[in-house]
Amino acid sequence: MRTSRRLNVRAAPLVALFASVSVASDLDCLHCRLESWAWRQHVGDRSGHFDEATGRDRRNYPPHRWADHGRMTLELFIQDMDVPVAQATQTLTITPIAEPLEELRLDARLLDIRSVSVNGFPARFTNDGRHLRVALAPPLPPDVPATIVTTYVINDPPDGLFWTPSSPAWPGRPPQIHTQGQPETNSYWFPCHDFPNERLETEIIATVPAGFLVSSNGRLLSQRRSVRRVTDASGASSLRGYDTFHWLQDKPHVNYLVSLVVGKFDVVDVGRPGLPMPVYVPPGRGPDVRGTYGRTAEMTALFERLFDEPYPWDRYAQLVVWNFGAGGMENTAATTMFDTAIISPEALIDHDLEGLISHELAHQWFGDLITCNSWDHIWLNEGFATYLTALWFEHSRGRDAYDASVLGGFDAVIARDNAVAPLQPAMVSREYTEPWDVFRRAANPYPKGASVLHMLRRKLGDGAFFRAVGLYVDRYKGRTAETDDFRKILEEVSGESLERFFHQWCYRPGVPRLRVRTTWNSSAAELRVDVEQMQNIDERNPAFVFDLPVLIRVRNEGDWRRLHVDGRSATLSIPLAAEPDMVAIDPNLEVLASIDVDAPSGWLVEQALRGPTHASRVLAVRSLGTLDTDAPGTTALHAIASDRARHRDLRSEAVRALAARRAPDAARRVVSLDPDDPYVRETVLAAVADCASGDAPPLGRDAVADRLAHAALHDASSRVRAAAVRGLARMNAVDRLPVLLAALEIESQHDTVRQAALGALADLDQPDAISHSVRFTRVGTLSRTRAVAIGVVGRLGKHDPDIALNAILPLLEDREMRARNAAGEALVTLGDARAVERLEALAATARDPAIADRFRRWADRLRDNPATD
Ligand SMILES: [Zn+2]
């Protein structure tokens, strides 16, 4: 049967966004960022780069570098790991550039500056809680190094340096300290030029209570034990043992990459001779390190070979820390990882972190050895790191895994990068309110940056592409770079002019939205391919220019054509000896575009089963999911879904496509699936729940609810359990509440099952689920789970505002940033105006303007839309 329908094969729904980016690994970093992005949505990325009232340009430009920073030596004394105070002495060498320097201005947020001396002489200084200004009298002459010594106290900063003290609610968990400097938060614990256009050597000499480990950038020069007499808060003085760790990073790097971690860990080295790669994990988890991080050395060797540049630093440490606000942070030679970034043996069946591990490792070259000169060029960090994950998958799992990773990036961009100039900024744009915005913008540097690199590789060919990237590394190592620096090297190596390419994919927002119609005219024996650009086209957003590859297969013979598109529409007409059995549009993903294909279903079935690439097979499967119930399509989808030899992503797509048909036959085929691969089984349970939900469900509810309830409590895979729990909520299976409450008690990797159960309780909107959720909002629960639980209390609070308010209000001052953010959002969701007063009081007393702003915004949003009833 021939049918033809408009279908959009390249626009995965947002929910799949995370899944598609890197199905195979638990890519937490994106989720966290988006989580906190949700809060900042109200701030938004639309800084509006022009101030109407003053006529001012509000775009962001790098700060001046009046002096070159040579080396920072930071001596820290942490008397008590449970008391968030540290004494510090910073010695900074600077060399004024060009002119005598009369004042040195450093970023210094909320530091208690005690003294400053210049070349050994006391200096006058001001400290407004945001900048340290040192008067240089006499002015420091240019080109002559000078030494600035600053003594100060770090007092429990709200950002940058985080204390996770021991707590009775978490018996046995030793206290810990970690830092997070990106984008501009290391100035919360040391004065610096807190912007990426300054590189310097750094040296950390940290003295901490005996028995704690200290990790920092570079190499460890020494570690020694000492005894000190100290006086505690009660005035009691005692002799205590301390350890002093002396770290040196003598290859210049940027300030946001400076790292300090203090804690108790199992440390296991996964490195190679001459390059130690210690992994720091919570005590008792050492035996799990190799299962999670065991391929780090292999990844390193791959990247060294691909870019012909040896790993640049003294060691490569990976540190799993509590209460970490992201997924991973690529500090120089010492990556910080989120708190559950260590996979238990039983969870290795359905969890791995290779996506995240290879991403952060890639940054050691792209981000650390070469750093973007300013935040608008952040894709040079994040795009490369995301793309190198795809290269690792290509190397370690094959071409299909590479395609799956690239396609995931395409999906993410197509789903979000859907506005045009000037409505939203481009990937490379100085328009942002605060630096974090550039990491979260719709033209997102992670997936869009990686997609641009993939397109360049396809465009220039492997030889020229990898040679150019190698030359870029060689020329810019130890320096900062901008987008055009990279472009020029690509042009130099390939001879191809790339200004238009970079303009349309990096300097303007949006992507082409194509409608492609493929038709066979049997009387004229002619194939027609008509392409239309459907996005808004105007002077600021002209039609995209690209060559669209088309693979035509006739009697098993493949014939490649390229259709040049540079306007609203273009057509390709080809006389053929016989009707094709498949016409695949852009099977190698050479054009980052959303593509609606109108094609005979028979061609799609052929492409789904025997398309030339993983990407082309997935795209055909998606299209079949939007077609009415043609038997060949259903049969093909079922065959793909049950075929263990096929890539798990393709099988999952086939399951979703079957479910999307909402036809009894297709649904019966879905319910018959019980794949052994937990990733596919997870998709099957979600699809089965879909088929038993909504109006006129093709599947009977009870049987499905039984299956889901059993899987939620007994499946070996926590992914599958979580999917079963979400499925019960999807079906609104209120009668299965006991299963959800039981799922709350299940320990699983990343607390996946508990978080799913919390979300399901909120979706089922059960009043008596509040008390169950409140329990998980407190210290003693993983910080991510706390954030989920707090959100749930906010959603269910309408049933008992008092309980909700009493549970949430105190969390506005919680030690964990994630809990504080979730509490503010939950109050807005709850909509109880009684919280406004507390928020305003906190805004009035907050030390940090950024924190005060946050409280004020929550109060404004709450005031603007209080709960109606
Ligand atoms: Zn990154």
Side-chain angles (χ1 to χ4, degrees):
M1 177 176 73
R2 305 168 63 68
T3 60
S4 109
R5 270 192 53 191
R6 303 203 162 290
L7 44 92
N8 185 337
V9 297
R10 283 216 215 138
L14 186 61
V15 180
L17 180 63
F18 311 115
S20 58
V21 166
S22 171
V23 162
S25 62
D26 311 6
L27 193 58
D28 248 284
C29 70
L30 194 60
H31 173 60
C32 318
R33 291 187 188 219
L34 282 174
E35 194 180 287
S36 57
W37 172 76
W39 168 78
R40 294 172 189 276
Q41 205 164 14
H42 306 279
V43 179
D45 190 6
R46 288 291 315 119
S47 63
H49 60 274
F50 174 65
D51 183 345
E52 201 66 48
T54 62
R56 281 202 191 99
D57 175 359
R58 293 175 58 191
R59 282 172 283 216
N60 300 277
Y61 297 89
H64 303 299
R65 293 181 57 249
W66 297 128
D68 179 42
H69 293 214
R71 178 181 289 195
M72 171 185 78
T73 302
L74 192 54
E75 295 165 76
L76 291 168
F77 175 60
I78 295 160
Q79 176 170 329
D80 183 332
M81 283 294 289
D82 280 320
V83 178
V85 174
Q87 319 285 334
T89 301
Q90 179 196 57
T91 304
L92 182 64
T93 61
I94 62 164
T95 306
I97 295 172
E99 297 294 327
L101 194 63
E102 295 176 5
E103 178 189 271
L104 175 66
R105 191 183 84 151
L106 296 171
D107 298 295
R109 298 171 194 261
L110 305 180
L111 297 174
D112 176 4
I113 311 274
R114 299 294 171 83
S115 74
V116 179
S117 71
V118 177
N119 292 334
F121 297 95
R124 277 181 310 104
F125 66 91
T126 61
N127 173 23
D128 59 6
R130 175 66 189 81
H131 292 106
L132 166 64
R133 289 181 174 80
V134 182
L136 304 169
L140 294 176
D143 310 323
V144 179
T147 303
I148 317 289
V149 177
T150 306
T151 64
Y152 62 98
V153 176
I154 305 165
N155 216 331
D156 197 11
D159 209 335
L161 186 144
F162 300 88
W163 258 270
T164 302
S166 54
S167 160
W170 202 304
R173 186 174 78 171
Q176 201 177 77
I177 291 172
H178 75 270
T179 61
Q180 169 62 27
Q182 195 178 46
E184 301 174 5
T185 44
N186 267 349
S187 47
Y188 277 98
W189 62 287
F190 62 89
C192 60
H193 177 106
D194 207 352
F195 196 85
N197 65 341
E198 176 62 55
R199 304 174 76 89
L200 75 170
E201 299 172 5
T202 58
E203 189 173 14
I204 303 275
I205 305 166
T207 301
V208 300
F212 285 87
L213 289 178
V214 173
S215 164
S216 185
N217 316 96
R219 61 183 184 280
L220 183 64
L221 295 182
S222 70
Q223 176 185 345
R224 59 185 165 76
R225 169 80 46 104
S226 62
V227 176
R228 288 188 182 206
R229 175 164 295 284
V230 293
T231 311
D232 63 23
S234 68
S237 113
S238 60
L239 281 176
R240 291 190 198 166
Y242 287 88
D243 289 325
T244 299
F245 293 77
H246 186 163
W247 287 93
L248 175 62
Q249 170 68 37
D250 56 5
K251 294 173 188 153
H253 61 155
V254 297
N255 279 297
Y256 75 76
L257 293 172
V258 176
S259 161
L260 175 75
V261 171
V262 184
K264 295 188 173 175
F265 299 94
D266 284 3
V267 182
V268 175
D269 195 322
V270 295
R272 63 182 192 212
L275 179 54
M277 297 183 182
V279 181
Y280 295 62
V281 293
R285 299 301 305 273
D288 300 339
V289 165
R290 288 197 187 286
T292 306
Y293 293 88
R295 301 189 77 177
T296 309
E298 200 185 334
M299 294 171 187
T300 307
L302 172 69
F303 295 156
E304 289 176 322
R305 182 169 52 76
L306 284 175
F307 307 112
D308 190 24
E309 182 69 30
Y311 175 80
W313 315 109
D314 298 306
R315 70 172 189 154
Y316 185 55
Q318 295 170 94
L319 300 106
V320 176
V321 304
W322 300 109
N323 182 24
F324 185 55
M329 179 62 211
E330 66 271 17
N331 305 307
T332 311
T335 283
T336 308
M337 292 285 196
F338 68 102
D339 48 17
T340 57
I342 179 73
I343 312 286
S344 62
E346 60 281 1
L348 285 171
I349 60 163
D350 59 354
H351 286 82
D352 84 70
L353 286 171
E354 292 191 8
L356 181 63
I357 293 169
S358 56
H359 177 106
E360 302 305 341
L361 174 65
H363 272 310
Q364 298 301 315
W365 286 266
F366 300 96
D368 299 9
L369 184 62
I370 306 174
T371 309
C372 58
N373 190 62
S374 52
W375 299 120
D376 44 325
H377 299 286
I378 190 67
W379 82 278
L380 293 174
N381 295 15
E382 298 303 347
F384 267 99
T386 306
Y387 185 60
L388 266 65
T389 293
L391 293 176
W392 165 249
F393 287 150
E394 182 177 13
H395 166 81
S396 60
R397 302 175 189 189
R399 167 67 197 265
D400 286 3
Y402 171 84
D403 265 20
S405 185
V406 171
L407 180 59
F410 271 43
D411 287 342
V413 175
I414 289 163
R416 288 194 56 220
D417 192 2
N418 45 27
V420 293
L423 298 177
Q424 101 187 8
M427 179 174 73
V428 180
S429 160
R430 293 193 177 87
E431 291 176 35
Y432 58 85
T433 304
E434 49 182 276
W436 265 135
D437 295 338
V438 301
F439 293 84
R440 284 180 206 94
R441 50 179 45 142
N444 193 279
Y446 294 77
K448 195 167 190 180
S451 302
V452 165
L453 291 166
H454 165 74
M455 288 196 286
L456 282 166
R457 180 184 176 187
R458 295 293 319 178
K459 192 177 181 61
L460 306 182
D462 280 16
F465 175 76
F466 286 110
R467 257 199 326 279
V469 176
L471 184 60
Y472 167 66
V473 172
D474 211 37
R475 284 219 188 126
Y476 284 89
K477 58 188 173 189
R479 298 168 58 193
T480 58
E482 298 181 348
T483 300
D484 284 346
D485 298 327
F486 179 51
R487 174 181 59 78
K488 288 177 190 152
I489 288 185
L490 289 161
E491 292 177 337
E492 180 186 327
V493 170
S494 69
E496 185 146 358
S497 162
L498 293 168
E499 293 214 31
R500 183 201 294 273
F501 178 94
F502 273 77
H503 173 73
Q504 76 179 16
W505 299 113
C506 298
Y507 291 104
R508 66 177 273 194
V511 294
R513 310 256 153 195
L514 307 180
R515 182 171 290 168
V516 179
R517 194 154 189 274
T518 55
T519 48
W520 170 247
N521 178 337
S522 51
S523 55
E526 182 190 74
L527 170 71
R528 261 181 78 99
V529 179
D530 294 291
V531 176
E532 261 182 283
Q533 300 204 38
M534 307 304 291
Q535 77 280 1
N536 173 34
I537 293 176
D538 58 28
E539 193 192 346
R540 294 195 64 163
N541 306 279
F544 283 82
V545 178
F546 51 87
D547 292 332
L548 189 68
V550 179
L551 173 62
I552 305 154
R553 191 180 288 162
V554 178
R555 298 190 189 120
N556 256 340
E557 285 297 312
D559 174 13
W560 284 94
R561 301 294 174 110
R562 300 178 77 79
L563 173 54
H564 184 68
V565 182
D566 62 2
R568 292 181 196 284
S569 63
T571 296
L572 186 66
S573 300
I574 312 157
L576 294 172
E579 176 182 352
D581 49 41
M582 184 186 76
V583 178
I585 305 299
D586 194 17
N588 291 305
L589 303 177
E590 296 186 19
V591 182
L592 174 57
S594 136
I595 302 184
D596 258 353
V597 175
D598 185 345
S601 66
W603 295 1
L604 295 166
V605 168
E606 179 61 20
Q607 186 179 326
L609 292 167
R610 284 169 286 275
T613 62
H614 169 80
S616 65
R617 295 188 289 272
V618 167
L619 300 173
V621 161
R622 285 182 187 167
S623 350
L624 287 171
T626 65
L627 286 184
D628 299 337
T629 53
D630 67 317
T634 299
T635 308
L637 290 173
H638 184 252
I640 290 168
S642 359
D643 184 346
R644 296 167 59 169
R646 290 187 179 271
H647 192 276
R648 63 170 52 125
D649 281 23
L650 183 64
R651 296 175 68 190
S652 288
E653 292 279 354
V655 172
R656 276 193 285 268
L658 273 172
R661 293 184 153 213
R662 288 198 68 73
D665 174 34
R668 267 194 304 278
R669 299 211 188 208
V670 172
V671 96
S672 73
L673 294 165
D674 187 17
D676 48 6
D677 183 316
Y679 292 84
V680 184
R681 196 160 69 247
E682 172 189 15
T683 311
V684 167
L685 291 194
V688 162
D690 273 351
C691 293
S693 310
D695 312 333
L699 282 180
R701 284 175 55 78
D702 291 348
V704 168
D706 287 347
R707 179 174 177 179
L708 294 175
H710 184 268
L713 300 179
H714 303 292
D715 198 283
S717 154
S718 60
R719 271 176 185 275
V720 174
R721 288 179 170 197
V725 164
R726 284 191 294 268
L728 288 170
R730 172 96 178 74
M731 296 169 59
N732 199 26
V734 178
D735 56 328
R736 306 296 169 140
L737 191 62
V739 175
L740 301 182
L741 296 178
L744 277 179
E745 307 310 326
I746 294 173
E747 300 300 332
S748 65
Q749 185 68 40
H750 309 315
D751 243 5
T752 313
V753 179
R754 181 171 290 132
Q755 289 175 17
L758 285 163
L761 289 171
D763 294 345
L764 290 180
D765 200 17
Q766 294 301 295
D768 49 16
I770 296 183
S771 55
H772 293 284
S773 311
V774 166
R775 183 156 57 97
F776 294 105
T777 64
R778 302 188 182 116
V779 175
T781 298
L782 277 176
S783 64
R784 276 182 181 74
T785 305
R786 293 185 70 197
V788 172
I790 295 166
V792 167
V793 173
R795 289 172 62 191
L796 293 174
K798 61 179 179 287
H799 298 296
D800 192 330
D802 293 348
I803 282 190
L805 214 51
N806 291 337
I808 299 171
L809 278 178
L811 301 174
L812 289 170
E813 298 166 85
D814 196 89
R815 287 209 61 75
E816 296 182 7
M817 183 191 273
R818 201 178 255 113
R820 292 199 300 269
N821 287 349
E825 286 302 315
L827 287 173
V828 173
T829 308
L830 181 64
D832 191 318
R834 289 177 293 173
V836 170
E837 191 191 336
R838 187 82 194 107
L839 287 164
E840 284 173 345
L842 287 167
T845 55
R847 287 190 299 156
D848 189 7
I851 304 267
D853 225 22
R854 200 172 293 173
F855 286 130
R856 218 168 284 121
R857 279 206 199 103
W858 283 321
D860 295 347
R861 287 168 57 202
L862 195 45
R863 207 178 295 107
D864 299 350
N865 11 273
T868 43
D869 49 351

